Amino acid sequence: AAKYNTKPQNRYDTMSSSGDAPSDANDGCVGPTSQKAGKASACAGCPNQSACSTGAFSSPAAVAAKQKERSELQTSLSNVSHVVLVLSGKGGVGKSTVSTQVAQSLSSRGYSVGLLDVDICGPSIPRMSGVMGQNVHQSQQGWEPVYANPNLAVMSISFLLEEGDAAVVWRGPRKNGLIKQFLTETDWGVGGLDYLIIDTPPGTSDEHISIVQYLNDARPMLTEDGHKKSGASGAIVVTTPEEVSMADVRKELNFCKKTSVPVLGIVENMSGLQIRVSDLSFHREGTNLSENGASSASDCTSDVLSLLREKCPEVLSMVASTEVFPTYGGGPKGMAEKFNVPYLGKLPLDTNLLKACEEGTSFVDKYPSSPATFPLNGIVDKLILALPVEDEEDGDEDMQE
């Protein structure tokens, strides 16, 4: 089984999208290799001022180490068509659910998909993708991910822990070191990936800065006008409708803007509860529910369903819905318009979606007629439209012509 290298990573060795400035540098950084490094007015108060002024970043050894890191990153991700970050400034809004089910849906459509869990302290992906308790093995090509199905490869710190409930109490540099290892040492297979979906922790902290910078180094690209382009193909930003969530998600959108990560769209998750009437439970008004649920005396589900079958059978196939979180202002759709980014749609609370995540199965395949299936398929359709995968056979035919 693979073992994690515990050697700490220098906190300053990850660079910003410019390829020069340390991740925690001041605005207006002249770059650590500049002759003015550590001496310019913009350097005042920067935590890297001392290191820059002594040439810690510009020494031949430091430059060679950085070039080697970039080469390793570029080699490891050279056969990945698209890298999609799943982000949110808020915890508990369903990033892992969206990451897993988008990956499952893409793999069901025949795409080759990788699912990378960089939520180091709270890895949920193994359970949601049905590969809990598996081990990662090391080959000559690197770490071999765990396959949830022939088209879906999964990588997570959960596979490297001896105890599933062990707490990961790490500082930023060590987390960043593992993220770099995930990106440089995971062998996604000979054919590579059509999509690499990266599930991230909440916030805009070390892990987010590092993953963006590593991707910039791994996938150096330019826009049509010659400006540097983000190494990430784009980000799906997840929120719930209430202001408590959106206030933090706005910070995430500003993070994407500052780091030049294209926003593929906003997903409004848990947008109301939707459930078929036939799946509802009914209780008499005024009864108190115990810790274990309603008492048998208050449960009138059987009577109500029998009455509906007799009097109004068509009602049983209808979908009942109710708002769970109060929508603030224009809601996530209004927020998308304000930030001029796409709105991917609403994903309702659906008990079958929750079951699929607990069971580690593909929701759209197992519950094709469930309320959340249509909107989830719509989100995946929009992702494929925004990031199409080039058909190699078509490309070969074009070359022959």
Side-chain angles (χ1 to χ4, degrees), residues 263-333:
V263 176
L264 299 171
I266 294 175
V267 172
E268 181 178 343
N269 195 26
M270 306 185 202
S271 180
L273 171 66
Q274 294 188 13
I275 185 170
R276 294 194 181 279
V277 173
S278 59
D279 294 331
L280 288 170
S281 296
F282 297 88
H283 305 277
R284 291 182 176 85
E285 188 177 5
T287 56
N288 294 322
L289 300 182
S290 65
E291 292 182 0
N292 298 322
S295 66
S296 58
S298 68
D299 190 337
C300 55
T301 302
S302 179
D303 294 339
V304 172
L305 294 180
S306 295
L307 183 62
L308 288 174
R309 276 192 291 269
E310 179 184 352
K311 303 294 185 181
C312 303
E314 66 275 11
V315 172
L316 292 171
S317 60
M318 293 182 178
V319 174
S321 64
T322 183
E323 295 301 317
V324 177
F325 299 104
T327 300
Y328 178 82
K333 187 174 184 180

Side-chain angles (χ1 to χ4, degrees), residues 174-254:
R174 196 174 180 189
K175 292 180 184 178
N176 297 342
L178 181 59
I179 291 172
K180 184 172 75 172
Q181 281 191 278
F182 279 158
L183 291 175
T184 58
E185 299 182 24
T186 302
D187 176 22
W188 297 110
V190 177
L193 300 174
D194 296 320
Y195 297 94
L196 175 60
I197 309 296
I198 301 181
D199 183 45
T200 67
T204 54
S205 57
D206 279 358
E207 294 97 319
H208 304 80
I209 297 171
S210 295
I211 194 73
V212 168
Q213 292 170 347
Y214 287 143
L215 290 175
N216 288 344
D217 285 344
R219 297 157 54 85
M221 294 181 283
L222 297 177
T223 60
E224 293 181 357
D225 56 0
H227 290 88
K228 288 188 177 181
K229 187 178 179 182
S230 170
S233 304
I236 296 174
V237 180
V238 184
T239 186
T240 46
E242 79 282 8
E243 173 61 11
V244 169
S245 173
M246 292 198 301
D248 289 339
V249 172
R250 287 194 291 271
K251 298 179 178 68
E252 196 75 48
L253 291 170
N254 282 318

Side-chain angles (χ1 to χ4, degrees), residues 63 75 83 143 190 220 287:
V63 172
T75 300
V83 180
W143 283 342
V190 177
T287 56

Side-chain angles (χ1 to χ4, degrees), residues 116-130:
L116 177 58
D117 186 358
V118 297
D119 191 346
I120 307 300
C121 296
S124 304
I125 294 301
R127 172 171 293 281
M128 291 186 173
S129 54

